[in-house]
Structure formats: structure tokens, C-alpha cells
């Protein structure tokens, strides 16, 4: 009897990374498990967490839902059996023309979530989708396929958002994004926050005190059940559900999906690596269970394949990055001068060698009219005095400024390959920033431009431009064109000649239905890096 080498067996099963083997396995048609429940019954409506589509391509997209009739109970109120779930994709909202139909299995091992990889659709057109389980039907979601990579496209519209601390306020921003009907949404991370609900009430933020409009229901999350309940709480929000149902999303995680400021196999608290990796593994499983991701992102061995690429015709090449799984730990000790010196060390990386090579190859080979680097943390190398009376300059060690070698290598690569069409988006800092990416200290030529989105709710209402950090950042960084401490998102509209970015803000998120306005708008002309006021 032949035996398989243990390492080869584990690799085949995906425990050393999902890769092409597991992707093929997921793509194979398989019979339903013998114990599947084909005609389930539920005590109440099971599609309480909505529906979502993600990772669109020219011929399809991923579809997601999760069965959870009691989402805030462990197990979601489900019987622990595999459940048959039917899905439909139609060319019209009334489902008169069914393009595809199939049956998926909601496995209890994956919290009864469903991931369907739909292929074989027509490019550059909208589709509508829905799910059925027993006699119950989900709401209808809208997705779309992308234009073929080499086809001429004249316009694309998309939103950038993230950092949606549930306790910070209401998700009005997601409702406004849904109403804008973008071609896609990029969520840069911090979909959930792992913290407990035992903080002060009210809480301070940037010099102001805020009552908590909503509360987490549990202590800090550590176990798989903990993370599942936290996602259930967040995804129960109707405004967030509306944004998912309105357009396909590209998602990438940052730190709070696992733990604040984690990096690779370490957390900020010095937890033993083998213990932290247990937490990271269950956090990634819960993330996959609740996101519209394709099977290639299925977590394996405590890792996920998150960096990926997509093309919107010949107009836009999208590079989605992962700046958490491969980075060195944030520099947390020493004075700022010492931190700055250590941040420039050649061995420190934000992307890791494999992802960096993948990104560099994609940038150099792209023939798209524009290139979008969609990632998590600020790339501008901003500094300010520690206070108005201080001579010490402060940099963020959690951004690209804390990984100077990685930042310089990327910008030099963009410059060397003469790609004058690159725009970077991200979030994490809970403020809007818009500016130019330069190599030299403050006065070099613009190599690319950056729209750094503020938070959806994290930081409560904010105080606009009146705070000292905003004033000092604007004073000491000429490449920074706009900054404000308000909640909202970035909305981009791109045509062949110009890229317009609008910094959308809400007057309040601690109350429902805050008023939306545009703080500032900027234009990047094709082939001419650098922001101009619209």
C-alpha cells in the first residue's frame, strides 16, 4: 500500500496554504453530504445578516450569506447540521431571466455561512441574486461583472470606507454609499473591533467626551464563538447590509479583525507566538465566514490569501494589498529620533518579499489607464511637532512611515517604471487626508497621489479642522492638501483623463441620519501625479 509523505498530505489538504490545489478542490462539483438537511425549517427568518457579493471579475463574482435566525446567540440559533441553500443569479431585478441557479451547503463548521463562486456570466453588466433555505428567502442583492480587461472603458465610480467601530456611532455613511450606487466598494479594514464594552461611559476622543450610542455585548473577543458573535452584531446593522446589497465589495483586513496593532505572528502585548497564532487562526476563520470572498481566500494553517488583483476594463488596474500578515512588528520603544532611524532599516518590511514582488510585477506590467493601490495604512510620510511648543517631530510608526525601506522601494519602483498613473487609497487614521506621495523630505516631485479615508464611525463625531494635530500637520507638510477629523468615506469617479476624489463627511454619527457633505474634492490629471483642487 502506498503512503503519502506527511508534508505532501498536509499541503494537499491546505494546511500549508490553500494555493492552486485547494482552489481546484473547491471548484470541483461535489455531491451534497449525506447528512445535509434539504428541507430545513426555522423558528424565525434565517437571513438576518443580509447578503453580499465580492471580488467581481469579467465573468462572475463571489456570493455570500449566513443562516442565523438568532444571530446574537451562539450558533446563530441554528441546528448543528449542514443545510442546503439554493441561490439564483438573474439579469433583472424581478428574476424573470435566471442566468444561473445552484445549491450550496451551509456547513456548521463555517457558522452556516455560504460562499458561492459564480462564473460564466457576461462581462460589464449588472446582476441580481438571492438565496433560499427551506421556505425562506433572502433579500435581493445587486452585483455586477467587470468589463473585459482589454476592453475600452470610459468611467468607473467606487467608494472607500472602513474603521466602523460599532460603539462609535451609526452607519449612516454606509447608507449613503448604497444610495450612490457605486460600481464597487473597497473596505480597507477594521470591519469589527475586538475590544470589550467595559470602557468609560462617556468616552473621550480628541479632547471631547461622547456618550456611547451603541454597545458591544461581550468582553474582548478571543475564541471563534466570540468573533462570530461580534460579526453578527456588526452585520445586523441595516445600513451596512444595504451597502453590501447595493454593489460588489473588495475587502481587506487590518488589525482589529484580530487584535490592535498585530503584525505577522506577534501581538502588541508580547503574547507567546504559539498562543497568539491560535487567536489569529480563529479570527481569520471568522473573517472568512462573514466576508464575500472567493475560495482562494479560504483560511488554511492560520493564514489567508488576501492580496489580489482585478481589472476594470482598460481603465483601472486594482491591486488589493495585505499589510498585516507579513509586516514586522511596530516599533514601540525609544524616542522618536531612535524610532525613525530604526524604521529605515532595510530588513523591516510591511508587505513581505513575496507580496512586494507580486505588486512590483503588477505595477510594471500594467497597461491600464490608471492603477489603484488599495491598502490599509497611510503612505504619506507626515510629521508634526509633538505639540505647538515642542521641537520634537512625531511620525506614525503604524503607517508606511514606520517601514521607510518598504515605502522608498515602492515609490522608487513607480518612478523607475515611469508609471505616472498611480493613486493610493486606504484608511486607519480616523481622519481624512489627501495629498501627494514624494520621496524627498517634503519638497520632492509628486510620484503618486493618495486619498486616505476617514472612519465610518471610529472616533465618534470628530471636530473638523479645529484640532491641533490637523493644524500642525497642514503647517509642516506641504504635500498634504487636506485633512479633517470628521467621519465619512472617500468617493472616487475616474474617467480616462482625470481622477476625482471627494472627501465625504457627516456632521454627526452619534445620532442617526447625520447630514452628508463634501469636505474637499481633488483632481489628478492622467499622466500628471499630484492633487489639484476640483
Amino acid at each position: 500500500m502506498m503512503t503519502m509523505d506527511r508534508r505532501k498530505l498536509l499541503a494537499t489538504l491546505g494546511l500549508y496554504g490553500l494555493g492552486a490545489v485547494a482552489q481546484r478542490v473547491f471548484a470541483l462539483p461535489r455531491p451534497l453530504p449525506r447528512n445535509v438537511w434539504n428541507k430545513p425549517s426555522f423558528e424565525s427568518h434565517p437571513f438576518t445578516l443580509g447578503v453580499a457579493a465580492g471580488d467581481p471579475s469579467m465573468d462572475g463574482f463571489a456570493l455570500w450569506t449566513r443562516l442565523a435566525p438568532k444571530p446574537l446567540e451562539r450558533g446563530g440559533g441554528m441546528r448543528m447540521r449542514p443545510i442546503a441553500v439554493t441561490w439564483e443569479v438573474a439579469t433583472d431585478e424581478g428574476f424573470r431571466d435566471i442566468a444561473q441557479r445552484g445549491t450550496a451547503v451551509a456547513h456548521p463548521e463555517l457558522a452556516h455561512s455560504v460562499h458561492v463562486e459564480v462564473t460564466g456570466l457576461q462581462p460589464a453588466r449588472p446582476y441580481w441574486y438571492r438565496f433560499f433555505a427551506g421556505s425562506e428567502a433572502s433579500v435581493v442583492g445587486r452585483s455586477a461583472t467587470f468589463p473585459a480587461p482589454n476592453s475600452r472603458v470610459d468611467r468607473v465610480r467606487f467608494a472607500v470606507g472602513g474603521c466602523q467601530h460599532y460603539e462609535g456611532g451609526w452607519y449612516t455613511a454606509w447608507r449613503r454609499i448604497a444610495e450612490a450606487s457605486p460600481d464597487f466598494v473597497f473596505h480597507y479594514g477594521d470591519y469589527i473591533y475586538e475590544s470589550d464594552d467595559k470602557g468609560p461611559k462617556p468616552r473621550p476622543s480628541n479632547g471631547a467626551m461622547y456618550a456611547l450610542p451603541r454597545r458591544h455585548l461581550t468582553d474582548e473577543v478571543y475564541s471563534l464563538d466570540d468573533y462570530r458573535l461580534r460579526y453578527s452584531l456588526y452585520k445586523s446593522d441595516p445600513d451596512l447590509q444595504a451597502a453590501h446589497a447595493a454593489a460588489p465589495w473588495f475587502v481587506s483586513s487590518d488589525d482589529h479583525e484580530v487584535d490592535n496593532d498585530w503584525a505577522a505572528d506577534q501581538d502588541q502585548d508580547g503574547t507567546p507566538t504559539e498562543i497568539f497564532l491560535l487567536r489569529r487562526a480563529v479570527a481569520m476563520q471568522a473573517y472568512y465566514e462573514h466576508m464575500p470572498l472567493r475560495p482562494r481566500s479560504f483560511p488554511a494553517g492560520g493564514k489567508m490569501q488576501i492580496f489580489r488583483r482585478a481589472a476594470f476594463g482598460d481603465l483601472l488596474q486594482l491591486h488589493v494589498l495585505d499589510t498585516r500578515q507579513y509586516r514586522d512588528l511596530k516599533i514601540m520603544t525609544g524616542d522618536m529620533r531612535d524610532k525613525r532611524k530604526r524604521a529605515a532599516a532595510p530588513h523591516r518590511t510591511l508587505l513581505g518579499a513575496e507580496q512586494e514582488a507580486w505588486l512590483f510585477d503588477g505595477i510594471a506590467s500594467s497597461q491600464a489607464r490608471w492603477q489603484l493601490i488599495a491598502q490599509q495604512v497611510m503612505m504619506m510620510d507626515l510629521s508634526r511637532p509633538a505639540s505647538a511648543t515642542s521641537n520634537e517631530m512625531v511620525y506614525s510608526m503604524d503607517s508606511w512611515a514606520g517601514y521607510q525601506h518598504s515605502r522608498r522601494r515602492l515609490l522608487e519602483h513607480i518612478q523607475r517604471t515611469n508609471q505616472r498613473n498611480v493613486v493610493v487609497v486606504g484608511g486607519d487614521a480616523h481622519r481624512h487626508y489627501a495629498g501627494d506621495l514624494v520621496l524627498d523630505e517634503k519638497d520632492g516631485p509628486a510620484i503618486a497621489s493618495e486619498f486616505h479615508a476617514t472612519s465610518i464611525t471610529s472616533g465618534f463625531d470628530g471636530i473638523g479642522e479645529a484640532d491641533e494635530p490637523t493644524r500642525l500637520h497642514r503647517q509642516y507638510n506641504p504635500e498634504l492638501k487636506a485633512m479633517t477629523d470628521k467621519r465619512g468615506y472617500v468617493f472616487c469617479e475616474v474617467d480616462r483623463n482625470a481622477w476625482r476624489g471627494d472627501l465625504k463627511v457627516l456632521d454627526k454619527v452619534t445620532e442617526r441620519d447625520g447630514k452628508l457633505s463634501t469636505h474637499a474634492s481633488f483632481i489628478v490629471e492622467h499622466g500628471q501625479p499630484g492633487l489639484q483642487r476640483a
Side-chain angles (χ1 to χ4, degrees):
M1 178 178 177
M2 296 182 63
T3 60
M4 181 180 289
D5 176 83
R6 182 176 183 272
R7 183 174 294 274
K8 290 181 180 178
L9 175 61
L10 291 174
T12 301
L13 293 175
L15 298 180
Y16 279 95
L18 188 63
V21 172
Q23 195 168 342
R24 288 196 299 271
V25 170
F26 272 93
L28 293 174
R30 291 174 290 177
L32 297 180
R34 287 184 299 172
N35 61 338
V36 72
W37 195 5
N38 282 300
K39 297 180 180 180
S41 59
F42 306 95
E43 293 183 22
S44 57
H45 184 63
F47 295 104
T48 57
L49 302 181
V51 300
D55 281 6
S57 65
M58 65 174 287
D59 72 337
F61 34 74
L63 296 180
W64 172 91
T65 193
R66 179 187 164 200
L67 304 178
K70 298 178 180 178
L72 301 184
E73 293 184 5
R74 294 187 185 276
M78 291 291 296
R79 290 181 61 184
M80 292 296 105
R81 290 182 59 182
I83 306 295
V85 178
T86 302
W87 56 271
E88 292 181 342
V89 174
T91 61
D92 64 299
E93 193 170 6
F95 287 82
R96 292 177 293 275
D97 180 22
I98 304 297
Q100 287 194 30
R101 178 187 288 117
T103 300
V105 177
H107 291 281
E109 295 91 338
L110 293 175
H112 289 101
S113 63
V114 176
H115 294 77
V116 177
E117 188 164 20
V118 183
T119 60
L121 301 177
Q122 295 299 310
R125 62 150 300 137
Y127 286 92
W128 287 261
Y129 62 94
R130 62 187 176 186
F131 298 89
F132 299 91
S135 61
E136 301 284 348
S138 74
V139 298
V140 173
R142 181 189 183 278
S143 188
T145 51
F146 275 10
N150 296 321
S151 62
R152 180 184 171 93
V153 176
D154 292 327
R155 190 180 78 150
V156 63
R157 301 165 65 250
F158 64 92
V160 180
C163 290
Q164 53 193 52
H165 198 304
Y166 186 83
E167 296 182 320
W170 301 98
Y171 291 162
T172 307
W174 286 126
R175 176 68 62 175
R176 300 296 172 256
I177 288 172
E179 293 167 352
S181 300
D183 293 303
F184 66 89
V185 172
F186 171 60
H187 193 293
Y188 56 76
D190 292 347
Y191 195 100
I192 62 165
Y193 279 70
E194 83 290 3
S195 55
D196 61 32
D197 67 348
K198 294 180 179 178
K201 307 180 272 289
R203 289 186 186 169
S205 179
N206 201 16
M209 298 297 292
Y210 294 93
L212 298 181
R214 307 195 282 189
R215 298 306 305 266
H216 286 158
L217 303 178
T218 61
D219 293 339
E220 183 165 346
V221 297
Y222 284 93
S223 72
L224 180 56
D225 279 339
D226 291 341
Y227 282 102
R228 286 170 170 169
L229 286 171
R230 188 59 55 89
Y231 277 103
S232 294
L233 178 66
Y234 279 56
K235 294 185 77 71
S236 296
D237 184 273
D239 294 333
L240 178 57
Q241 289 188 18
H244 272 298
W249 286 35
F250 291 95
V251 298
S252 190
S253 64
D254 195 20
D255 55 341
H256 289 289
E257 287 89 350
V258 181
D259 183 44
N260 183 54
D261 283 352
W262 74 276
D265 59 359
Q266 302 176 74
D267 70 5
Q268 63 176 344
D269 302 315
T271 303
T273 296
E274 63 273 18
I275 301 300
F276 173 68
L277 287 177
L278 293 174
R279 183 182 188 184
R280 192 186 78 172
V282 299
M284 288 184 175
Q285 177 175 338
Y287 182 74
Y288 178 81
E289 289 173 349
H290 293 87
M291 295 297 114
L293 289 163
R294 291 176 182 259
R296 61 172 170 260
S297 294
F298 189 87
K303 299 179 181 179
M304 288 186 70
Q305 179 62 47
I306 297 178
F307 66 86
R308 56 207 191 276
R309 190 173 286 127
F312 196 89
D314 70 344
L315 182 63
L316 184 70
Q317 179 78 60
L318 170 66
H319 313 275
V320 178
L321 303 189
D322 175 354
T323 62
R324 282 290 161 188
Q325 284 193 87
Y326 314 101
R327 69 157 67 185
D328 288 299
L329 191 63
K330 171 184 173 181
I331 297 172
M332 293 182 282
T333 60
D335 61 26
M336 186 52 65
R337 180 175 298 181
D338 176 61
K339 288 181 178 179
R340 185 71 171 168
K341 181 178 179 180
R342 290 156 61 194
H347 71 271
R348 284 185 58 76
T349 180
L350 189 67
L351 301 179
E354 179 186 356
Q355 183 178 196
E356 183 183 270
W358 168 88
L359 176 61
F360 284 16
D361 288 346
I363 290 172
S365 62
S366 176
Q367 300 298 312
R369 189 77 176 168
W370 295 94
Q371 296 196 61
L372 169 62
I373 299 178
Q375 48 93 56
Q376 289 71 45
V377 293
M378 185 181 297
M379 197 174 291
M380 282 182 283
D381 192 25
L382 303 182
S383 61
R384 64 172 177 84
S387 68
T389 59
S390 173
N391 292 322
E392 181 186 23
M393 300 301 289
V394 176
Y395 295 81
S396 169
M397 289 295 102
D398 196 40
S399 70
W400 287 77
Y403 304 81
Q404 282 291 308
H405 188 66
S406 289
R407 180 182 185 276
R408 176 167 285 273
R409 281 175 58 84
L410 175 55
L411 293 182
E412 286 179 342
H413 178 75
I414 295 172
Q415 191 175 53
R416 183 170 56 252
T417 54
N418 197 33
Q419 297 286 359
R420 300 177 57 81
N421 62 346
V422 178
V423 176
V424 176
V425 300
D428 180 63
H430 304 174
R431 284 175 167 86
H432 273 312
Y433 297 80
D436 298 330
L437 296 171
V438 299
L439 260 179
D440 301 321
E441 188 69 21
K442 309 302 180 190
D443 57 359
I447 295 172
S449 300
E450 180 173 14
F451 292 100
H452 193 80
T454 187
S455 59
I456 296 292
T457 53
S458 303
F460 303 99
D461 293 333
I463 57 175
E465 296 180 281
D467 64 324
E468 184 175 88
T470 297
R471 180 177 61 81
L472 293 176
H473 269 115
R474 293 296 306 276
Q475 179 179 347
Y476 284 87
N477 300 276
E479 72 273 33
L480 178 63
K481 309 303 180 184
M483 175 179 172
T484 185
D485 172 36
K486 296 296 286 185
R487 310 288 73 82
Y489 57 93
V490 167
F491 199 87
C492 294
E493 185 165 345
V494 185
D495 63 29
R496 302 193 72 81
N497 298 318
W499 183 305
R500 179 188 176 106
D502 295 330
L503 310 184
K504 297 291 189 179
V505 295
L506 290 158
D507 63 339
K508 289 184 179 296
V509 295
T510 55
E511 299 176 6
R512 293 180 183 270
D513 299 321
K515 181 181 178 181
L516 184 71
S517 62
T518 301
H519 172 72
S521 298
F522 293 93
I523 298 290
V524 183
E525 295 184 1
H526 182 263
Q528 300 181 39
L531 297 184
Q532 305 174 33
R533 281 274 182 177

